[in-house]
Amino acid sequence: MSDDAADAVSAAMEAEFRLLDPAVRSSPDLLAELLHPDYEEYGTSGLLWTRASIMAALYAQDAPPPRPITTSRMKGVQLAPGIVHLTFDTESGPHRAHRSSIWRLTDGTWLLYFHQGTRFDRPAEG
């Protein structure tokens, strides 16, 4: 991997770790700084979320506070200049998920463009 690609992957990983921080997930302003205007997500529930719908759900009056999330097996690859794909696993309480994120460099800032989470019950192979 070239130095530029390694730097891009590192920057996307740093942004992903910020996004997973409960303090960021508790702040509409901080979260908005990390989501691309065209953001979409296929959640572990199977629902399709947009930037507006995920923010509305996270900040609804009856929404539970964000729980700590543990990550493992994170790796990334630069798909093209300014586009990074990350894969990793998360665990939050009893929930485990395989995750895939596409980060896009937009006006000098890494923004989450697409995310998918798939629940799993047993440790991943390989």
Side-chain angles (χ1 to χ4, degrees):
M1 184 181 320
S2 72
D3 288 346
D4 287 344
D7 289 346
V9 169
S10 179
M13 284 183 176
E14 181 180 315
E16 186 78 56
F17 284 124
R18 276 197 326 269
L19 181 65
L20 294 169
D21 182 337
V24 171
R25 297 176 73 80
S26 296
S27 167
D29 292 335
L30 294 176
L31 182 63
E33 290 175 4
L34 292 169
L35 298 181
H36 191 277
D38 297 327
Y39 171 76
E40 287 188 340
E41 172 180 338
Y42 289 103
T44 57
S45 64
L47 295 175
L48 173 62
W49 298 91
T50 64
R51 184 178 195 270
S53 66
I54 195 77
M55 291 188 68
L58 286 171
Y59 303 113
Q61 283 188 336
D62 59 347
R67 291 193 280 181
I69 298 171
T70 303
T71 62
S72 61
R73 299 174 4 115
M74 187 177 287
K75 61 184 179 177
V77 62
Q78 182 177 7
L79 299 176
I83 306 283
V84 169
H85 178 222
L86 300 179
T87 57
F88 56 100
D89 292 338
T90 60
E91 190 169 340
S92 180
H95 304 290
R96 292 177 170 181
H98 299 300
R99 304 215 173 248
S100 177
S101 293
I102 303 288
W103 287 85
R104 187 171 169 186
L105 187 60
T106 306
D107 297 328
T109 302
W110 286 96
L111 300 177
L112 185 57
Y113 183 75
F114 177 80
H115 181 79
Q116 180 166 353
T118 304
R119 285 191 185 177
F120 72 96
D121 294 325
R122 61 186 185 282
E125 300 289 325

